[in-house]
């Protein structure tokens, strides 16, 4: 006890000047508090209510004689009192229990302005079954409304219990017996305490000689009693803690009881006049026998300190309300004590450098973590100022998560306390609160201390990376910078940072074989991404192995070949070779090798168009610095041999010339090989059954044009049916033999060719300006055979070439003139025939118009019977019975179909005359367009002009 420190964590409220109001005239017998008020019962039967400032609110006459006990309920605004009223009969006791509803007020008389709460229930405590005795203790438990459980302790060791709805008089009475001693001073019930634990209801009962526990049941007869101790206590030295423990004060100590017996005790000497519990503090009024004074102490049992100590007068009652402790003295003075705020208490402790007490205080009072961290920070600052760095760091570590780490780091950087700083940074990482900068600093600390063991523990701990207790990329970067490459690789591999792992292997260590093995062990998607990033380095140093990996990634090698019918869909999920083109930017021979291997293995790749385009560019481009793989190795050998002979000048020059010649010959050979591959690709990638090729035709034509690749250009033009472009290529090369052979192949209309190519060819020879008589004669043969051009056009075309003589076309002109003469003679005979026929028709028409027609037929043309009246005669010399004609008497049934056919033909021709597109198409497609126009005129289709047109003009 004497070792406990004393502090002033409490202070007097109301300026230390408070007292019971004068309106409370009688002697105070009982007190209670709750629902924001203090209730006082006096020996004159009045009950008074005081407000927060202990001012008189109102009062009323609860009992006629005296108010002995009262309790303000918490859940409902009820006041339960026990007092003495007028005795109606000698047999009935004057002691009764009343329940007042403080929310319902009523006037006390018709002419009185005072009001009093409504009394909703009155019970006589003592009956024949429950004989009268002195009441020594009283307690009310609020159960589910409107049920109340009232326990009344007596001086004979009995406890009368009343349970139920008192307002409706639906109650149950039962009796509990603590002790039955002849000495009432040792058997009176001095204290009661209810304990509700879930569904279990228990009642503590204290007498001067025992402590008992009643386990209450629904049926009173089943209630069990358990003795917890054979020593009890006097009145007013019994209380209940907020953990539902029974507290008993005896002269030698204060004891705590639970349901299983006595618990801890605290040796506070002195007679305990009053005991109480307030917000985790133990309240004691202790009588000092030496100087006949009373001391009021507030104990903080968790921190083992006296939060407040004050010498007081004789205390009659102790209450707690409004967050304050109220002591009512025997002389009706009062003392109101309230707890200081946490900040004030901490300031008081900080001034005395009692940081450990401050830490215990904030932790025991369940202050928020930020407040606790602030106390720890101040304690750390205090230790730091005393240069106790180890202990200061221990406090700072407890602030992690609340105190800004830079505050601590800056202190220990300045003090050059790298060991402490390392410890702090480790804890920061363990709690997952480290940033990238913290990781960098910690690793630098390890490397500066050269503490490889700790670095291994930090880097290679099993749960380090899995829980992401540090930033992985930062750790890798710092380990690389400090040449701890193995540690950096370990972190990268375990964290799945494949890019970093390969960057270290390739850029820092140059371990290309190991890098390739690592890539092979990755998932296809991850391996593809890493090859895209680091492929340039791998191709430069390990091209063959890198291409093997690419082939495994881009094809169906391994398990994928077992997929069966799902291979087509699986191909679309594989990486495309196009994704890796950029890594070959400085190594084009290896790119060609890779794409050739891929196309030989995969025939239906989704990216085959792009792949073929790339291969065509590699095959056809002459400007690229490109050598084949075999020639590259030969060149290296030659170069080595050239360097080995550098000692002799003359020999060096001859070797150099030999090397240059060999290099040129190899270059030409390589170019021819690539062009041959290009032609094969152009043909194989354009199957005959497909309309479009498996490459970009426009790009292929541009590549052939740019690189003067005639063979490829001719193939593409011919496939695209651009025959004029094909012969233009031969014309540019002045290849007359090839030009005529091409026209023979492409100018045959019977095989789908274009006959107009011969006209273009004749025009070419006509403008050539050199003697080409042989070629012209051969061309004229095909022009004459297919009647492609009129002779006049042929003469005009060939007349432009001054090197050609008339002898070249003499035979051709003679044959054409003879043919024309024959045609003219045939046309003359046809004209004469048509003229004779026309003249006969005109004479017949004139005869019909001017002369009478005699009908001499004696039989009907339809039925061949003798013709009789009525008969019908037509101008076409056909006669019919009228009955044979039926309703159609205007047309000859025999001649009408032929006439209708002629009219239909004429109507069709007139309709076709309006279809201009068809007319011009016939003119264009015909060998002799003039004959088509003449035919239209002959049919009378375009010889007429409408009246509307004439009128308009």
């Amino acid at each position: 006890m004497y070792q406990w420190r004393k502090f002033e964590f409490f202070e007097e409220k109301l300026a230390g000047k408070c007292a019971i109001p004068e309106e409370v005239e009688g002697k105070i017998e009982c007190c209670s508090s709750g629902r924001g008020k203090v209730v006082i019962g006096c020996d004159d039967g009045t009950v008074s209510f005081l407000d927060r400032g202990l001012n008189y609110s109102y009062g009323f006459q609860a009992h006629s004689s005296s108010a002995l006990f009262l309790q303000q309920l918490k859940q409902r605004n009820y006041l339960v009192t026990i007092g003495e009223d007028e005795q109606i009969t000698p047999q009935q006791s004057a002691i009764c229990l009343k329940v007042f509803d403080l929310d319902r007020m009523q006037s006390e008389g018709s002419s009185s302005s005072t009001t009093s709460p409504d009394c909703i229930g009155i019970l006589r405590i003592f009956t024949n079954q429950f004989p009268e005795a002195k009441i020594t203790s009283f307690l009310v438990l609020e159960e589910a409304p409107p049920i109340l459980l009232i326990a009344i302790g007596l001086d004979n060791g009995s406890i009368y219990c009343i349970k139920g709805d008192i307002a409706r008089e639906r109650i149950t009475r039962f009796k509990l017996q603590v002790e039955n001693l002849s000495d009432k001073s040792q058997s009176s019930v001095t204290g009661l305490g209810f304990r509700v634990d879930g569904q279990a209801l228990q009642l503590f009962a204290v007498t001067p000689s025992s402590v008992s526990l009643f386990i209450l049941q629904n049926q009173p007869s089943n209630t069990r009693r358990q003795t917890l101790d054979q020593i009890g206590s006097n009145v007013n030295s019994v209380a209940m803690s907020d953990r539902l423990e029974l507290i008993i004060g005896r002269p030698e100590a204060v004891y705590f009881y639970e349901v299983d017996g006595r618990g801890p005790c605290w040796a506070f000497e002195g007679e305990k006049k009053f005991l109480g519990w307030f917000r985790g503090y133990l309240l004691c009024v202790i009588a000092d026998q030496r100087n006949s004074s009373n001391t009021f102490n507030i104990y903080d049992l968790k921190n083992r300190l006296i939060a407040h100590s004050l010498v007081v007068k004789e205390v009659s009652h102790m209450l707690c309300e409004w967050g304050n402790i109220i002591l009512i003295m025997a002389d009706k003075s009062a003392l109101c004590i309230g707890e200081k705020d946490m900040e004030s208490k901490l300031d008081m402790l900080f001034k005395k450098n009692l940081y450990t007490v401050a830490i215990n205080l904030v932790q025991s009072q369940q202050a928020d973590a930020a407040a606790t961290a602030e106390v720890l920070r101040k304690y750390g600052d205090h230790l730091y100022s005393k240069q106790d760095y180890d202990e200061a760091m221990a406090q700072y570590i407890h602030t992690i998560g609340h105190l800004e780490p830079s505050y601590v780091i800056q202190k220990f950087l300045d003090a050059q306390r790298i060991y402490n700083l390392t410890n702090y940074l480790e804890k920061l990482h363990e709690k997952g609160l480290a940033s990238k900068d913290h990781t960098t600093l910690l690793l630098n600390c390890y490397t500066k201390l050269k503490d490889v063991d700790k670095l291994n523990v930090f880097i290679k701990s099993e749960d380090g990376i899995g829980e992401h207790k540090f930033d992985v990329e930062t750790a890798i970067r710092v380990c690389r910078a400090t040449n701890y490459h193995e540690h950096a690789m370990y972190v990268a591999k375990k964290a799945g940072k494949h890019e970093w792992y390969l960057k270290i292997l390739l850029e820092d260590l140059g371990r290309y074989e190991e890098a390739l093995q690592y890539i092979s062990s990755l998932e296809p998607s991850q391996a593809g991404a890493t090859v895209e990033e680091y492929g340039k380095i791998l191709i430069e140093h390990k091209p063959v192995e890198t291409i093997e990996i690419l082939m495994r990634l881009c094809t169906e090698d391994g398990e994928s070949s077992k997929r069966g019918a799902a291979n087509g869909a699986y191909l679309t999920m594989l990486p495309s070779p196009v994704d890796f083109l950029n890594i070959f930017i400085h190594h084009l021979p290896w790119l060609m090798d890779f794409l050739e291997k891929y196309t030989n293995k995969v025939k239906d790749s989704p990216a085959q168009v792009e792949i073929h385009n790339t291969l065509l560019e590699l095959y056809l481009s002459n400007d690229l610095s490109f050598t084949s793989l075999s020639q590259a190795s030969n060149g290296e050998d030659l170069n080595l041999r050239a360097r080995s002979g550098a000692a002799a000048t003359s020999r060096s020059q001859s070797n150099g010339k030999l090397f240059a010649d060999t290099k040129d010959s190899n270059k030409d050979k390589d170019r021819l090989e690539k062009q041959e591959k290009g032609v094969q690709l152009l043909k194989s990638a354009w199957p005959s059954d497909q309309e479009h090729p498996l490459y970009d035709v426009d790009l292929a034509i541009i590549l052939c044009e740019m690189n003067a690749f005639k063979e490829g250009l001719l193939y593409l033009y011919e496939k695209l049916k651009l025959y004029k472009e094909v012969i233009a290529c031969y014309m540019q090369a002045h290849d007359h033999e090839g030009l005529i052979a091409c026209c023979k192949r492409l100018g045959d209309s019977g095989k789908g060719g274009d006959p107009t190519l011969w006209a273009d060819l004749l025009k070419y020879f006509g403008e050539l300006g050199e003697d080409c008589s042989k070629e012209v004669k051969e061309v004229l043969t095909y022009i004459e055979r297919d009647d492609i051009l009129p002779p006049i056009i042929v003469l005009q075309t060939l007349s432009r070439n001054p090197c050609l003589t008339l002898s070249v076309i003499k035979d051709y002109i003679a044959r054409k003139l003879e043919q024309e003469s024959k045609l003219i003679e045939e046309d003359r005979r046809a004209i004469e025939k048509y003229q004779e026929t026309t003249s006969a028709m005109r004479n017949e028409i004139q005869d019909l118009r001017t002369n009478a027609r005699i009908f001499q037929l004696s039989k009907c043309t339809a039925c061949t019977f003798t013709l009789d009246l009525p008969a019908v005669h037509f101008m076409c010399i056909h006669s019919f019975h009228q009955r044979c004609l039926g309703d159609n008497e205007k047309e000859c049934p025999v001649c009408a179909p032929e006439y209708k056919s002629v009219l239909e033909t004429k109507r069709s021709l007139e309709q076709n005359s309006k279809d201009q597109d068809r007319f011009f198409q016939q003119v264009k497609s015909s060998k002799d367009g003039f004959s088509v126009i003449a035919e239209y005129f002959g049919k009378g289709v375009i010889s007429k002009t409408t009246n509307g047109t004439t009128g308009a003009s």
Side-chain angles (χ1 to χ4, degrees), residues 58-61 101 104-108 114-119:
Y58 69 93
F60 68 97
Q61 191 72 38
D101 187 352
R104 295 163 55 184
M105 307 297 289
Q106 62 181 3
S107 301
E108 293 187 352
T114 60
T115 58
S116 63
D118 185 14
C119 181

Side-chain angles (χ1 to χ4, degrees), residues 652-774:
S652 174
Q653 291 176 350
S654 62
N655 286 341
K657 183 177 180 181
L658 176 62
F659 173 74
D661 295 339
T662 306
K663 184 176 181 181
D664 291 339
S665 63
N666 288 336
K667 186 175 181 180
D668 294 337
K669 181 180 178 181
D670 175 69
R671 181 172 56 82
L672 294 175
E673 290 178 357
K674 289 193 299 174
Q675 288 182 351
E676 183 179 352
K677 290 181 179 180
V679 172
Q680 293 177 356
L681 179 60
L682 288 174
K683 294 180 179 180
S684 63
W686 197 337
S688 58
D689 58 342
Q690 292 187 8
E691 182 180 357
H692 301 288
L694 300 177
Y695 50 82
D696 189 341
V697 179
D698 296 333
L699 176 63
I701 292 174
I702 292 172
L703 290 173
C704 293
E705 287 278 6
M706 291 175 59
N707 298 281
F709 184 40
K710 178 182 175 182
E711 186 177 358
L713 202 59
L714 291 174
Y715 174 78
L716 292 172
Y717 285 153
E718 187 172 340
K719 288 290 288 185
L720 293 171
K721 298 186 183 302
L722 300 175
Y723 299 142
K724 294 185 183 297
E725 281 74 8
V726 173
I727 64 173
C729 291
Y730 286 103
M731 292 176 182
Q732 289 178 1
H734 296 283
D735 185 1
H736 297 169
E737 183 178 354
L739 184 59
I740 293 175
C742 178
C743 285
K744 289 179 181 180
R745 190 177 70 256
L746 303 178
D748 189 353
S749 60
K751 298 181 180 180
D754 185 4
T756 60
L757 295 178
W758 293 108
D760 294 335
L761 187 56
L762 185 67
K763 182 180 178 182
Y764 165 74
F765 286 127
E767 297 175 351
L768 187 60
E770 62 183 50
D771 187 9
C772 49
S773 302
K774 180 181 177 182

